[in-house]
Amino acid sequence: MDHEEKISLWDIFAVFSKIGAFTIGGGYMMVPAIQEEIIKRGWIAESEMPDIVAVSQSAPGLLTVNMAIFCGYRLRGFKGGLVATLGCILVPFIMILLIAMFFSSFSSNPVVVSIFKGVRPVAVGIVAAYAFKLFLKNAEWWHWAISLLTLCGIVFLRISAVYILLVIIVLSLAVSAYNERRAGK
């Protein structure tokens, strides 16, 4: 879709500022918010989201910043990417700066401690719900098997995720090479 003339830079900035301001936890917590905001506005198709997340994860840097760059660039080129990125990071930056300035004076406050304890499980639930929703739309049986083996390896066997990723990369390359040779016959 070409939104070059339809979407103002201000709209892009406002949407990504809202996302940055109202998603506690950053990173994967912002992914569902980004998806909801850009899809409901018709800026990017829902079917493109898994690719946007995958590309954003594979690029160096923060996931949500990469997503903001990618989405903004798709909407309005370089200026759109820059504005989306500023919107995504400016409000949280200011909030963190303010919290850092005053945190020591209220960090032991029982209300603040309770709020942080309450937000943790909600953050985990939001990330898990988004991952499950995304997974249901795109998964085949072997995706479930790999996910279950990965979960068991990390949680029960305490295997580093780095090793699991390395094994999956090697296996994926081997399967891809095998399929190419087989298709070439």
Side-chain angles (χ1 to χ4, degrees), residues 149-160:
L149 288 172
T150 301
L151 178 68
C152 290
I154 291 171
V155 173
F156 300 116
L157 302 176
R158 301 199 187 279
I159 299 171
S160 171

Side-chain angles (χ1 to χ4, degrees), residues 13-121:
F13 180 81
V15 166
F16 281 92
S17 291
K18 175 182 163 188
I19 292 166
F22 294 107
T23 47
I24 296 172
Y28 286 100
M29 293 299 299
M30 293 174 94
V31 173
I34 291 172
Q35 179 178 357
E36 181 181 325
E37 291 292 330
I38 64 175
I39 289 172
K40 85 176 177 188
R41 285 174 170 70
W43 290 357
I44 294 177
E46 186 173 5
S47 61
E48 295 179 84
M49 280 309 297
D51 295 332
I52 291 171
V53 173
V55 168
S56 298
Q57 284 178 320
S58 63
L62 301 172
L63 172 66
T64 51
V65 172
N66 291 343
M67 286 183 72
I69 292 168
F70 186 81
C71 292
Y73 186 83
R74 289 275 315 273
L75 298 172
R76 289 290 305 268
F78 177 80
K79 289 179 184 175
L82 182 62
V83 166
T85 302
L86 286 174
C88 187
I89 64 173
L90 190 60
V91 174
F93 174 76
I94 292 169
M95 289 169 62
I96 290 170
L97 189 61
L98 290 172
I99 289 170
M101 289 170 51
F102 302 106
F103 186 71
S104 62
S105 62
F106 63 84
S107 64
S108 59
N109 183 316
V111 173
V112 173
V113 171
S114 294
I115 289 171
F116 281 118
K117 284 183 180 178
V119 167
R120 287 181 202 145

